[in-house]
Amino acid sequence: MGKNVLGVFNYDEEAVIAVQQLKSDGYPIDEISFVINHDGFKDTLEKRTGAAVDIINQEETIFQKIKNIFSNDPYTNNFEEKLAGLGLPENKAINYASELEAGKILMLAGSDYQLDARGEKTLAESETFGHDKTPHS
């Protein structure tokens, strides 16, 4: 099942408030997860929201290092690959890799779940909430 980004946050408290809002609206917590690039927010997010937290980082595996030696592109953004591996469509993984690289918190949900500009559940493409109000394509 694919994933969508519901929100991008600078701080764990912002993410906790967003999850509390979603829970009060009846959004199933088992559909929400977070992605971060360090473990600084992991405990807070897990304990205060009940959502799963994935930590991904820019470290390359041995296979990736060998692949990069033979590639024409000397730099491969592993955040893009890892986000795609978590279920984000490739175009969204590319867009959100820079947010993750900057240390921000990504809130994900199954592809059937999205929010409209008012925070209402919808199946239509919509804006994320959090500090970043710019829709990503």
Side-chain angles (χ1 to χ4, degrees):
M1 173 190 227
K3 299 269 185 176
N4 282 316
V5 175
L6 289 183
V8 178
F9 306 95
N10 288 313
Y11 303 104
D12 54 350
E13 190 60 33
E14 295 171 329
V16 169
I17 291 168
V19 170
Q20 289 170 345
Q21 176 187 344
L22 290 170
K23 280 181 173 179
S24 70
D25 291 340
Y27 204 92
I29 192 63
D30 60 337
E31 290 290 330
I32 298 171
S33 64
F34 291 99
V35 180
I36 55 177
N37 75 355
H38 57 83
D39 62 1
F41 298 130
K42 185 178 190 318
D43 287 341
T44 301
L45 290 171
E46 285 178 337
K47 288 177 184 172
R48 295 195 53 206
T49 67
V53 179
D54 289 307
I55 301 172
I56 61 175
N57 55 41
Q58 193 70 350
E59 293 178 16
E60 293 182 319
T61 65
I62 293 173
F63 176 74
Q64 289 166 326
K65 289 178 183 179
I66 293 169
K67 178 178 141 186
N68 289 342
I69 290 171
F70 297 103
S71 171
N72 290 334
D73 182 12
Y75 176 73
T76 301
N77 187 329
N78 290 320
F79 285 135
E80 292 172 15
E81 291 176 11
K82 291 176 180 180
L83 286 172
L86 289 174
L88 250 57
E90 186 176 335
N91 63 330
K92 296 207 183 235
I94 290 167
N95 289 334
Y96 284 108
S98 62
E99 301 280 13
L100 192 59
E101 188 172 8
K104 297 180 182 175
I105 300 166
L106 302 182
M107 182 169 59
L108 307 179
S111 61
D112 293 341
Y113 296 96
Q114 295 185 12
L115 300 177
D116 64 15
R118 296 181 314 250
E120 300 289 326
K121 289 182 279 189
T122 180
L123 295 176
E125 189 68 28
S126 64
E127 293 182 359
T128 60
F129 70 97
H131 82 280
D132 181 3
K133 297 290 184 184
T134 306
H136 295 270
S137 41

